[in-house]
Amino acid sequence: MELLPKTLVLCLALALARAAPVQDAAAGGVPDRCAGIEFDAIAPDEKGDTYFFKGSHLWKGFGGPAQPSTAHFKELTGHVDAAFRMHNTENPEDHDHVHFFLDDKVFSYYNHTLEEGYPKEIQEDFPGVPTHLDAAVECPKGECVTDSVLFFKGQDVHVYDIATKAVKTKTWSHLPGCTSVLRWLEHYYCFHGHNFTRFNPITGEVSGTYPKDARSYFMRCPNFGHGGDGKPVQCSEVKLDASTSDDTGRVYFFAGPIYMRMDTQRDGLHPFPITRTWKEVTNGVDAVFSYTNKIYMIKGEQVYIYKADAHFTLIEGYPKTVKEELGFEGAVDAAFVCPNEHRLHVIQGRMMRNIDLTATPRVVTQEMPLPFSNIDAGFCGPDGIRLFQGSQYYDYASLMILAMGRIAPEPKPITSAVMACED
């Protein structure tokens, strides 16, 4: 399949920062984050909107001007030391509530409304956690050992176990002094000055080249980042290479060297280089499908299989040839597995081939002609099947309708409701 033109790749990367006016300069005491400032706190709310705090102001999302903090959280009349969104699935009454720390007080909000009884002393809600914090961030079980909160003060990190209320203190002298910390798509970012450093939430280890300028990744500023002043991609220009969803319900779209992942509609659709998550897949993909907590990536004659944990791990012995692993040969246009099924559906030209994934060795069990060709990607979810062709897609309510159909349905255009693009 063709790789996306370079200009379109840059536009796709701007999907995380939908077009919004950029503040030109600080005026009347209003801070300008594009001038390179140090944030006091960063946290998402229960809807997935991320808020960046500086002094008595905040920014909602990755674009747009600063606003008074009281416009969104009316009781926050001063400097915010730290903030995080609670992850506590064992206690739904506290899950997704946003906590703000000011000096020795904690404020808890849900739906931008201060909870009854707040503010409280920090020790009342989080015993053993110091006052006058520098930063805080949630760390769910699986990324940390238990559902936890990491509180930062100086070079010390106080790991707070939500269930037991126990606190363990670590010293990460190798990590820059964090004035704010953000968990974003299972990655952890320490912000310091106008830069950030990504770190491991258990060890504090930093891997990769850091620090990096936050203006190139977490906000839309002229002459910074993925395309600078470029415009978001038009839906009519979209061309996918692959699409899938994993066992947790996360949806992935692949286009050229970039993939976009949507955890929930709340958290939006975010673009990253494929090699950031699947480092062995260096030249894009032809097809991707998910099965039994694994993600299969097909490129040419090879198939890579990754265990879908918090961080994808290539299974030992891979890649293997498509013939060896899946029992067929030839270029693959699209591949998908429907929820709770064990059949792989592979589209090659005008033919769809079914493979029983429970069989050893795997072989093609059925072949069915399709009423069209040149399919770029396929996806099967609870609502049916979508086959993508350029900037359009075919919608089928069920696999049976797709298999029995002899006339192609009317194609539908990709819209902003389908993925992050401009209609």
Side-chain angles (χ1 to χ4, degrees):
M1 295 184 180
E2 295 182 3
L3 294 180
L4 249 59
K6 184 180 294 185
T7 55
L8 182 53
V9 169
L10 295 177
C11 290
L12 280 171
L14 280 171
L16 70 130
R18 300 291 295 274
V22 176
Q23 182 136 340
D24 294 328
V30 177
D32 175 15
R33 60 179 168 180
C34 289
I37 64 173
E38 185 170 78
F39 296 110
D40 298 329
I42 307 173
D45 67 6
E46 69 284 346
K47 296 178 181 178
D49 294 320
T50 302
Y51 290 83
F52 298 77
F53 292 82
K54 180 65 176 179
S56 60
H57 288 77
L58 62 75
W59 294 262
K60 178 183 178 181
F62 302 108
Q67 307 170 55
S69 300
T70 52
H72 294 270
F73 307 94
K74 66 180 183 180
E75 294 81 8
L76 298 184
T77 58
H79 167 101
V80 176
D81 293 328
F84 74 93
R85 183 178 69 189
M86 176 66 76
H87 183 93
N88 184 7
T89 54
E90 298 299 319
N91 182 7
E93 293 184 0
D94 202 25
H95 184 65
D96 271 354
H97 289 218
V98 186
H99 291 73
F100 297 97
F101 298 82
L102 284 72
D103 298 326
D104 58 353
K105 297 291 192 297
V106 57
F107 296 67
S108 179
Y109 283 82
Y110 188 77
N111 198 25
H112 292 235
T113 300
L114 185 67
E115 287 189 86
E116 186 177 353
Y118 285 88
K120 295 180 179 179
E121 299 288 332
I122 292 176
Q123 290 292 315
E124 187 176 348
D125 256 10
F126 301 96
V129 172
T131 60
H132 299 86
L133 294 162
D134 292 331
V137 68
E138 71 278 12
C139 189
K141 182 179 180 179
E143 298 168 34
C144 281
V145 177
T146 63
D147 281 344
S148 306
V149 182
L150 309 184
F151 293 98
F152 293 74
K153 186 168 184 177
Q155 300 301 132
D156 290 338
V157 180
H158 307 273
V159 183
Y160 180 86
D161 186 307
I162 294 172
T164 67
K165 300 186 182 299
V167 178
K168 294 182 179 179
T169 301
K170 305 177 182 181
T171 300
W172 289 344
S173 56
H174 61 281
L175 198 64
C178 307
T179 62
S180 56
V181 177
L182 174 66
R183 172 184 177 262
W184 194 49
L185 298 183
E186 298 175 354
H187 292 299
Y188 292 77
Y189 300 91
C190 162
F191 288 76
H192 45 98
H194 61 267
N195 295 319
F196 70 92
T197 296
R198 184 157 66 93
F199 65 94
N200 183 299
I202 296 178
T203 65
E205 179 184 3
V206 176
S207 59
T209 304
Y210 289 96
K212 295 180 180 179
D213 197 314
R215 291 169 290 184
S216 296
Y217 296 86
F218 290 95
M219 61 201 75
R220 186 169 181 264
C221 296
N223 304 316
F224 282 94
H226 307 94
D229 295 319
K231 297 180 180 179
V233 65
Q234 298 298 307
C235 294
S236 59
E237 297 175 326
V238 170
K239 184 180 184 298
L240 298 176
D241 293 333
S243 179
T244 191
S245 65
D246 63 20
D247 291 346
T248 68
R250 296 168 180 148
V251 178
Y252 300 83
F253 295 102
F254 297 82
I258 283 177
Y259 80 94
M260 292 163 285
R261 163 180 152 181
M262 184 169 67
D263 288 15
T264 64
Q265 194 68 39
R266 171 185 80 175
D267 291 324
L269 192 64
H270 305 286
F272 300 101
I274 293 175
T275 51
R276 171 174 169 169
T277 303
W278 301 282
K279 63 182 180 180
E280 295 83 4
V281 183
T282 57
N283 295 303
V285 297
D286 293 333
V288 179
F289 67 92
S290 301
Y291 180 65
T292 62
N293 202 38
K294 300 180 184 68
I295 190 164
Y296 292 64
M297 313 188 82
I298 299 173
K299 179 64 178 179
E301 297 181 355
Q302 292 187 311
V303 57
Y304 300 76
I305 304 180
Y306 289 84
K307 188 174 180 181
D309 291 328
H311 305 288
F312 290 94
T313 304
L314 183 65
I315 293 178
E316 187 175 356
Y318 288 86
K320 294 183 180 180
T321 66
V322 173
K323 175 65 175 177
E324 182 182 5
E325 179 63 30
L326 299 174
F328 66 90
E329 294 180 298
V332 178
D333 295 324
F336 59 88
V337 176
C338 292
N340 304 315
E341 291 196 2
H342 304 281
R343 286 184 299 168
L344 169 64
H345 308 283
V346 175
I347 295 177
Q348 296 177 292
R350 298 180 69 94
M351 188 68 66
M352 184 170 72
R353 296 179 166 87
N354 295 340
I355 293 95
D356 183 355
L357 293 175
T358 65
T360 304
R362 291 165 172 165
V363 294
V364 175
T365 59
Q366 188 179 14
E367 295 185 344
M368 294 171 287
L370 296 176
F372 39 59
S373 59
N374 301 318
I375 294 300
D376 297 318
F379 174 83
C380 185
D383 299 325
I385 299 165
R386 285 180 176 175
L387 300 181
F388 295 90
Q389 186 183 68
S391 61
Q392 298 178 319
Y393 68 95
Y394 298 96
D395 209 355
Y396 288 89
S398 70
L399 188 63
M400 180 179 294
I401 295 175
L402 171 60
M404 299 296 292
R406 293 296 177 264
I407 300 176
E410 190 71 22
K412 300 178 181 180
I414 293 175
T415 66
S416 57
V418 177
M419 62 179 296
C421 56
E422 292 281 338
D423 292 333

